Amino acid sequence: MMEFALFRLPDGRAWLGEGPFTALAAAPAAGGAFYINDFDLSDPKPWKVPAKLHAITAESLAKTIHLNGAATPQIHWAKPATEWFKMAFRRIRREVLAKRIEKMVPVLTESGTLTSGDPRRLLDAIMKAPENMWGYAHVKDSGGFLGATPELLFTAKGHDLETMALAGTAKPGNQDAFLTDVKEIEEHEIVVRYLADRLQTLGKVTRLPRSLCQTSGLVHFQSKLSVKMRETADPAQLVPLLHPTPAVGCLPRDDASLAKLREYRQQLKVPGFFGAPFGFIESDGTTHIIVAIRGICWEGDKISLPSGCGIVGGSAFDHEWRELRLKREAVLRLLALHS
């Protein structure tokens, strides 16, 4: 199979689309299409309608994409270098302390070399990801990306939209300290404020209390928000309205800050898929768009594992460096890989 896309819901339902894909600027009324774009939303036709669409299970996956006989990939990881990231951290923190920005998310990418096996085999782990995660993948002949994310950009159908703020990270077992961690709460509430602000242009916003979301070896703060929209959902407009949230981007989300964010992402060689929206529209019109984090990408034998952290006023370098490692370890655990 030359090109395919995969999307798995937390309830276990999943779809695999075989290429060639027909690219559209708007979501097709009949559904059955994937939303695939990069972080900068540079594809004007991000809705991809597959030549064939299969509803799949963890059991039927290998047969559908002919994985029989493919071995689990073995990857040799290089130690991530601190210099560029440390420089970005210092510059961003200076901007935050000078009150020119409120938050920005730099991304560190660990590089690896595929020594044997097939990265597509990791789709097995994606299909078996925990129940509070969405699985995603887009694979072409020479490369692709895949992952399982705890972060939803939105689910929309008719006049109803649901979303979440997912920001603030800790290791399980450290929950009491985390619940009162001023820096982590501040980082989370920045995302909540941003989402509430954006969403109220669509209709009445309801926010549930902040809670904990435990997923693949990490704990996050999570706040669920919902909107009764005045008009029927148009996914093509909702994506650029909400993306990038300050959980993966910056605040304020003005042109100057976004340009700065893009500059940091280029300097740090961040893969385009990371933090980007990815999704699927069901035949009944329900649209799910997730934020593509907790994943890897590959091109030939070059593998990349990105992780990001939010810099706010209370951020300290050692703490953020540790958080980045925790996030990468969570991905390796999820994919049953070893660093």
Side-chain angles (χ1 to χ4, degrees), residues 16-303:
L16 186 131
E18 283 186 58
F21 289 85
T22 305
L24 303 172
F34 295 83
Y35 180 95
I36 306 173
N37 215 332
D38 60 12
F39 186 85
D40 295 329
L41 306 185
S42 58
D43 187 346
K45 293 183 173 180
W47 295 95
K48 313 294 182 189
V49 183
K52 277 188 195 161
L53 185 66
H54 312 268
I56 56 161
T57 62
E59 292 69 39
S60 69
L61 170 74
K63 283 199 288 284
T64 313
I65 50 174
H66 316 303
L67 275 183
N68 307 343
T72 304
Q74 300 299 309
I75 300 162
H76 174 72
W77 295 101
K79 213 174 163 61
T82 56
E83 304 84 81
W84 279 100
F85 187 83
K86 196 173 250 182
M87 192 167 74
F89 174 88
R90 284 188 185 137
R91 284 180 180 168
I92 292 167
R93 191 151 183 275
R94 215 165 35 233
E95 294 288 297
V96 171
L97 294 175
K99 305 236 180 310
R100 283 190 284 272
I101 58 171
E102 209 175 332
K103 179 183 179 182
M104 192 169 276
V105 180
V107 177
L108 178 80
T109 302
E110 191 169 339
S111 299
T113 305
L114 181 70
T115 54
S116 68
D118 187 339
R120 296 177 308 161
R121 192 82 251 186
L122 301 174
L123 290 165
D124 291 336
I126 302 302
M127 288 296 291
K128 292 170 186 159
E131 281 179 358
N132 55 357
M133 300 184 97
W134 287 261
Y136 63 92
H138 181 216
V139 177
K140 293 183 177 177
D141 232 8
S142 61
F145 61 83
L146 53 80
T149 177
E151 190 169 354
L152 176 71
L153 188 63
F154 66 84
T155 285
K157 185 186 179 185
H159 290 265
D160 296 308
L161 180 143
E162 289 173 19
T163 182
M164 63 159 72
L166 191 85
T169 304
K171 221 174 166 172
N174 202 7
Q175 268 138 273
D176 291 348
F178 181 56
L179 285 167
T180 54
D181 188 316
V182 177
K183 181 261 170 185
E184 299 294 343
I185 291 170
E186 178 196 3
E187 191 185 330
H188 180 80
E189 291 301 321
I190 284 172
V191 182
V192 176
R193 274 203 318 277
Y194 162 86
L195 284 170
D197 204 40
R198 290 258 148 179
L199 293 170
Q200 61 193 18
T201 62
L202 304 172
K204 184 171 168 17
V205 182
T206 306
R207 175 196 174 171
L208 292 177
R210 186 172 66 235
S211 62
L212 292 179
C213 164
Q214 192 157 331
T215 169
S216 73
L218 293 173
V219 177
H220 304 286
F221 281 129
Q222 173 179 287
S223 296
K224 294 188 175 181
L225 298 96
S226 59
V227 191
K228 205 52 153 163
M229 294 184 289
R230 286 182 288 274
E231 289 167 28
T232 312
D234 177 1
Q237 289 179 326
L238 290 172
V239 172
L241 176 76
L242 296 174
H243 171 82
T245 76
V248 291
C250 56
L251 200 72
R253 201 183 82 163
D254 53 25
D255 289 346
S257 303
L258 284 170
K260 204 81 202 143
L261 177 69
R262 268 197 295 274
E263 199 180 298
Y264 285 126
R265 283 179 66 102
Q266 279 162 3
Q267 278 172 356
L268 294 164
K269 298 185 169 57
V270 183
F273 89 91
F274 186 75
F278 187 98
F280 183 75
I281 180 164
E282 296 187 55
S283 54
D284 69 354
T286 306
T287 306
H288 310 275
I289 304 284
I290 54 93
V291 180
I293 55 173
R294 305 285 187 279
I296 65 160
C297 67
W298 70 96
E299 190 64 45
D301 64 352
K302 299 280 170 273
I303 313 265

Side-chain angles (χ1 to χ4, degrees), residues 271-334:
F273 89 91
F274 186 75
F278 187 98
F280 183 75
I281 180 164
E282 296 187 55
S283 54
D284 69 354
T286 306
T287 306
H288 310 275
I289 304 284
I290 54 93
V291 180
I293 55 173
R294 305 285 187 279
I296 65 160
C297 67
W298 70 96
E299 190 64 45
D301 64 352
K302 299 280 170 273
I303 313 265
S304 300
L305 168 52
S307 56
C309 62
I311 310 299
V312 294
S315 298
F317 181 79
D318 289 348
H319 178 90
E320 301 304 328
W321 190 252
R322 192 165 58 247
E323 182 181 311
L324 292 169
R325 194 192 73 239
L326 285 175
K327 286 175 174 173
R328 293 196 306 279
E329 285 171 355
V331 176
L332 294 172
R333 227 184 351 262
L334 178 87

